[in-house]
Each structure stands twice: as C-alpha cells, then as structure tokens.
Amino acid sequence: MENSDYSILVVDDEPNMRKVLSALLGGEGYDVETADSGAKALDMLRQDQFHAMITDLRMPGMDGLELLRKSRQFQPRLPVIMLTAHGTVDTAVEAIKQGAFDYLSKPFDKSEIVGVVDKALRSYEISQQDVVDPERKPADLPLIGEHPSMKEIFRMVDKVAASPSTVLISGESGTGKELIAQLIHDRSDRAKKPLIKLHCAAIPSTLLESELFGYEKGAFTGAVTSKPGRFELADGGTLFMDEVGDIPLEMQVKLLRVLQDQQFERVGGVKTSQVDVRLVAATHRDLNAAVREGRFREDLFYRLNVVPLHLPPLRERQSDIPLLADHFRRKFNTRLNRNVQSISPEAMEKLAAFSWPGNIRQLENVMERSMLFCEGTVLTGQDIPSLEGTVPLPPPGAASAAAPEAAAGRFKELTREASVRVQREIILKALEEHNHNVTRTAKALGLSRKGLQLKLKDLGLR
C-alpha cells in the first residue's frame, strides 16, 4: 500500500502539537485526521476506519489510557502510540502492558516518529492475518470449530496452558495463530500479568534487538532516553512472538540465550537483567526446512518446539465455514450497526464452495464487505462479492450439471461486470474531483471512509 492509503488519527489537546504532527506525517504522504479530546477521537473511531492512532497520555477529561481502553470497542486491532512528557515514562510503559503499540517521549525528532509509525502500520497489516480481539475476556473468545482437528487443538490448549513450557504454533497466514496464543495466556496462571506481542516480520532486522531487549540512553543515534524491551515488559507474563521464522540468524543466538537462561542485557548496557517470561511463538514458515537450509538454528528450533501446535487451513475444515460465517455475521451486525438476521442457503453454499487461500482472515474480510453492502435482513448470494484469488471446489457431478445453467450464469456475469464498470467510473471521477483524498471523496459519495476503502479494494482501485 502507498502511504496515502493509510489513515492516522492524532489526538492531543494542544493545537500546536496537532499541527506539528499533521504537517510532519502529512509530508510523508499519510492521510491525517486530528481530534482535540478523547471523546471526539472515540466518535471518529466509531464512524471511520483508521490504521494507527497517536495520542497524548495526559489530556483533560479522558486521558490516553482511558482512550486506549475504550478504542478497543470500535477498532480492537488499531495500533496506538502514546506521547509522553518527561517524568511519565512509567505510565507509558504501563500503557504498553495494557495494549499500546509503543510510546514516544517529548520532545521527539522527525525520524523517531516516522520510524515508530512505520512499524505500527506494518504491525497493523500483519495483524489482519489473524482473527483476534485482544479485549475479549477468556470466556468470550470464540472457540469456533467442530472439526476433529480443531477439537484436538482446543484439547491441547487446555493441557498446556497451565504449564510454563514454550509453545510453537504453526500454520498458514490467517488460520488464527494469535487467537490461540491469547487463549493459552488467558488460561494460564499468568493471565493477570501482561501478554506482550511482537510481530517479528514488522520490525526491521536492525531494530529487532532493541525491540526485544530494550536500550540505554545514548546506545545509538536517536536513543535520547532509556527504554525497556519486550522481554522486560512481559516479565511475569507471556511474550508472543509472531513470525518467529523471520528472525535473522545473528539475532537467533541472542534469543536462544534468553530462552535458556532468562537473562539479557539492554543494547548499550552492561547490567544483566533476569526475567520470568513464558514464550509463545508462531510462524507460517516450515522451520524444519529452514533448519535444513541453514536459515534457522537447529538448537533454537528445538528450544521453541517444546509443545508444537499446528493449525489446519480452512480448506481442510470446511465443515466449520457455516459456524465461522455466522460468527462474523453477529460480529459485524454490532460493529457496522447492521440488522442481518441470517445467511441464505445460497450464500452459505457460495461461501462453502471455495478453498479460501487466505483462510479465516479472508472469510472475515468477505463477510465484512458483504454485511456492509447488504440492504436486507438476510445475506444472500448476490451480497457476496467476487471471491478473487480463490479456487472453487467443484461439487460432485459439476461437469454434467453446468451446461443447463450456462445461459443464466452468463447473464449474471454480464450484469455484474456492467455494475462494476459503472461503480469504477463514478468513484474514479469523484477521486479526481477531490484530489484523491479518500475522506472527502467518501463524504461526497455518501459513504463512510471505511465503506469507500472496501469498495476501492473490491474494485481493484487501491
């Protein structure tokens, strides 16, 4: 995605700070919206989709911590960056433990804020690969799956959650690895301690060490204060490292040492810190193959692979598609303020007839788009968008049954193509009239910003 495709919400009660951040991030090409209070920010989050939020920690009325907690009701995966003044770093660290992505101490320079925003946006993109709501209570987490393979996964989670053993979750992108990590933490005796998450693929290799272990003031250019790493923040709790297969070899040695001894030093520091952290790792890569090819250390693999859990792709558990689709119907009724009471047999048959290479993530996205544009109380086959990138699974007897349906199918196809052409022309013209500003274009078309973004993606205009 281009920078202009990302929308960032800046929340600060100081007008000058809002102007500075708007100019700085706008100069990088981002679409920036501002709010002067937590209450106004919540109202904006309720109406439009954002990709990151930067908020001051200390504000009158609703402070940054309260805004962080309440924002989860509307956009649970939104990365939140806290701005802190000198002397409030401890509070900012507490914010990270409560789910904030990162924090910045004032004053900060341009490279620092741009770097943190870039990491936050990478993390946001990767977080879309798994179905997880970090604010749900353990009892509310959707244990969705009646397929035998999923029942076995749930049984394993119950058995290993209470232990301190390292767990390695493998599976294709979008199969729910982060959700399983959340379940393991919530059902362990560490549930009241922090669950700290790190998407390894979202962090540049040059910054990964400082993200994991923290750094001391003056350790490198731009290190104007000391900062704890993810292991320190997770002390007593759980550290979830997603896409652990992307860690470079030189960092694998240092990670191995922490897993063996629970000890490390901050970058630029000499003091050895001792922590008590339970590690849950996840990857979509074949780590056995990576070990054979010399891209992943064998000793680290065995240290991670104490309790292996493999999540099956959705195409191998198609009997669960109706359960998942109905779960997303209820979810998006609430989030999108819709009133879809059921899914028609035709629509469900259409959903069940594809292999879903994007797994649960792709099914969730398709359901969100379908719910957004559904005008009745029943989601029909016509509401389901074109399932691009998927491979249909032919039902038995499809070859002989296809011919009588060919004419009707061709008519529907031509009608759909004409509709797509008209929509593309209208949206492209509106974008040109508003200098490709997504927010103003959405208002002109009578759509929400999120609705227009989904349309752009569906029509291949992004």
Side-chain angles (χ1 to χ4, degrees), residues 1 155-156 161 167 201 279 346 456:
M1 294 172 66
R155 187 185 69 82
M156 290 286 290
V167 178
L279 182 68
E346 176 195 5
L456 291 172

Side-chain angles (χ1 to χ4, degrees), residues 10 81 102 122 127 139 187 219-220 234 327 344 361 411 424:
V10 173
I81 301 166
D102 209 336
R122 292 192 199 185
S127 74
R187 295 186 176 187
F220 48 82
H327 163 70
S344 74
R361 184 226 1 210
F411 175 76
R424 284 174 63 92

Side-chain angles (χ1 to χ4, degrees), residues 16 20 69 74 136 156 207 212 217 225-226 260 302 311 334 355-356 379 392 441:
N16 287 339
V20 167
R69 288 191 292 268
F74 308 109
R136 286 192 181 114
M156 290 286 290
L207 300 178
L212 284 171
K217 180 179 180 180
T225 62
S226 298
Q260 290 174 333
Y302 290 129
L311 297 185
T334 301
S355 61
W356 301 105
L379 190 72
T441 301

Side-chain angles (χ1 to χ4, degrees), residues 372-388:
L372 189 65
F373 297 110
C374 177
E375 296 181 354
T377 59
V378 178
L379 190 72
T380 69
Q382 294 298 318
D383 296 317
I384 306 295
S386 174
L387 300 176
E388 298 177 5

